[in-house]
Amino acid sequence: MNDILLMAAFAFLGAAVAGVLGAVALRLLRNRSLVVSVSVVAATAVTAMLLGTLAVANAMFLSGHDLTVVSIVILMAAVVALATAVLLGRWVVARSNALAAATRSFGDAFADGGSFAPPAGGATAELAALSRELAATAGRLAASRERERALDASRRELVAWISHDLRTPLAGLRAMAESLEDGVAADPGRYHRQIRAETERLDAMVGDLFELSRIHAGALALAPTRMSVYELVGDALAGADPLAREHGVRLVGEPPAPEPAAAVPVEVDGKEMTRVLGNLLVNAIRRTPADGTVAVAVRARAGAGVVVSVTDQCGGIPEEDLSRVFDTGWRGNHARTPVPPAGAGLGLAIVRGIVEAHRGRAEVRNVPGGCRFEVILPTAPG
């Protein structure tokens, strides 16, 4: 038993010397190729075996012939180990270079819409995982690029529409002001009222732009309070009733039901959420023909909170436009009731921004004869 422990001690000391030399070599060569590092590891393992064997042989006084045989065996193992390490290192380096080339190619082609193409052939588990992560990252970058392009397009469209919408009332205001100044206005009172109406319209447009800029900048400050969703609906209906009467549209709101919606409160900023419902109602009223109906409903959705829906009779939205309805500046008019544009196409974008700031979401779908906008809000914590 003592002999075995002694041999183990001598073998450990010899191997430890080789291990220390190998660690020093790896540190000195840490910036070199992977082939060099793998070769050093293989050489360290063989050298540790050789030094351990020599230490044991010297302590046990093996014959010279036996020591020579053992040394030759270890040297042959060293040759095979080093050759295997070099082949393995070169293969891994080649796969790493191919992955790096694919990444550079993707970086060069990304601006032109290129996508990441992982290199063909096998690879180590780590390189394969890295390739999958690069492919997933490339997919997210491509999606982000498409969103950025769509946002840029909507911004350019918005600037064009805003320029047109501002130019028209400003030209009218100038003409009316000149008529009043020259004393040629047949009905000054009517001109004064028209100037006031156009000024209010411009003020509303500027207010929408300011609100949208706050939403996009993440500077929308909310003051949430606990309230019934029917309070919000009632305030919005009361505010939209004069416009509905002017357009000959009937507003229909479901009476509060004892269960389950009325029993589910929400925690929202009342002012901002009233603006959301007001924008939806104004949009629905203006798109619904005279003698049409705009219906507001409230219901609880299992696992989703409270749903407030506004259904109009606009004739529907083309399927290809449904995904753009809440985009900034969208004002699609085909397949809908033809009406003159009443704003800059910011109302629905503001709706989505405010609802998402409340951790909710806004949706739209076509229904027979029109479309239904839904605002899904989380329920207030119990």
Side-chain angles (χ1 to χ4, degrees):
M1 186 65 181
N2 291 334
D3 292 342
I4 294 176
L5 292 176
L6 186 62
M7 284 190 296
F10 277 104
F12 176 77
L13 290 174
V17 172
V20 170
L21 294 175
V24 172
L26 284 175
R27 180 172 180 79
L28 294 176
L29 301 172
R30 60 185 180 275
N31 295 325
R32 302 295 297 274
S33 170
L34 178 65
V35 177
V36 176
S37 298
V38 174
S39 300
V40 169
V41 171
T44 300
V46 174
T47 303
M49 185 185 303
L50 178 60
L51 292 181
T53 302
L54 291 176
V56 171
N58 184 60
M60 300 301 294
F61 304 103
L62 294 179
S63 65
H65 177 271
D66 292 342
L67 182 59
T68 301
V69 171
V70 172
S71 299
I72 291 174
V73 171
I74 293 176
L75 289 175
M76 293 302 100
V79 171
V80 174
L82 288 174
T84 303
V86 170
L87 290 176
L88 174 62
R90 289 176 63 87
W91 181 76
V92 172
V93 168
R95 299 304 304 158
S96 177
N97 290 337
L99 185 58
T103 305
R104 280 195 303 273
S105 176
F106 167 67
D108 295 337
F110 177 74
D112 298 326
S115 59
F116 176 76
T124 63
E126 292 78 8
L127 289 178
L130 178 59
S131 181
R132 289 192 297 270
E133 286 298 323
L134 286 173
T137 301
R140 290 192 291 270
L141 286 173
S144 175
R145 177 184 57 199
E146 291 303 318
R147 287 194 299 269
E148 185 66 24
R149 286 179 176 175
L151 184 58
D152 286 341
S154 68
R155 284 172 179 167
R156 288 193 296 269
E157 197 173 26
L158 173 62
V159 168
W161 282 342
I162 285 290
S163 300
H164 176 271
D165 287 348
L166 287 176
R167 188 180 297 114
T168 301
L170 287 175
L173 287 172
R174 175 183 293 176
M176 288 185 287
E178 290 175 352
S179 298
L180 290 171
E181 186 178 16
D182 296 339
V184 297
D187 186 357
R190 183 173 67 85
Y191 275 45
H192 289 148
R193 290 190 297 272
Q194 186 65 25
I195 289 174
R196 179 183 179 87
E198 292 295 339
T199 303
E200 290 176 350
R201 177 186 172 193
L202 290 173
D203 181 68
M205 192 180 302
V206 172
D208 285 346
L209 284 171
F210 179 70
E211 182 80 359
L212 193 62
S213 67
R214 287 199 305 161
I215 292 172
H216 286 171
L220 182 64
L222 300 177
T225 56
R226 191 182 183 93
M227 62 181 63
S228 167
V229 69
Y230 281 100
E231 293 180 29
L232 297 172
V233 172
D235 292 343
L237 287 173
D241 186 64
L243 181 65
R245 293 179 181 274
E246 179 184 342
H247 285 73
V249 174
R250 293 185 299 275
L251 284 180
V252 178
E254 290 184 358
E259 291 292 340
V264 183
V266 291
E267 192 166 318
V268 296
D269 186 309
K271 177 182 176 182
E272 297 294 344
M273 199 52 60
T274 299
R275 179 169 191 167
V276 165
L277 298 181
N279 282 0
L280 291 178
L281 284 170
V282 168
N283 183 70
I285 292 169
R286 285 176 173 160
R287 298 294 182 177
T288 298
D291 295 329
T293 301
V294 172
V296 183
V298 178
R299 71 179 187 278
R301 180 181 292 178
V306 179
V307 181
V308 182
S309 63
V310 177
T311 306
D312 60 31
Q313 294 180 340
C314 66
I317 300 173
E319 291 295 327
E320 62 271 17
D321 285 345
L322 281 176
S323 60
R324 299 188 57 230
V325 166
F326 292 101
D327 289 350
T328 301
W330 183 85
R331 292 190 301 186
N333 279 327
H334 12 281
R336 307 190 64 172
T337 305
V339 294
L346 305 180
L348 294 180
I350 292 173
V351 165
R352 180 173 63 180
I354 295 175
V355 171
E356 290 179 351
H358 284 86
R359 303 186 312 279
R361 65 182 188 275
E363 299 176 351
V364 61
R365 63 173 57 88
N366 283 324
V367 296
C371 57
R372 175 176 297 149
F373 287 85
E374 292 184 346
V375 172
I376 299 98
L377 297 171
T379 56

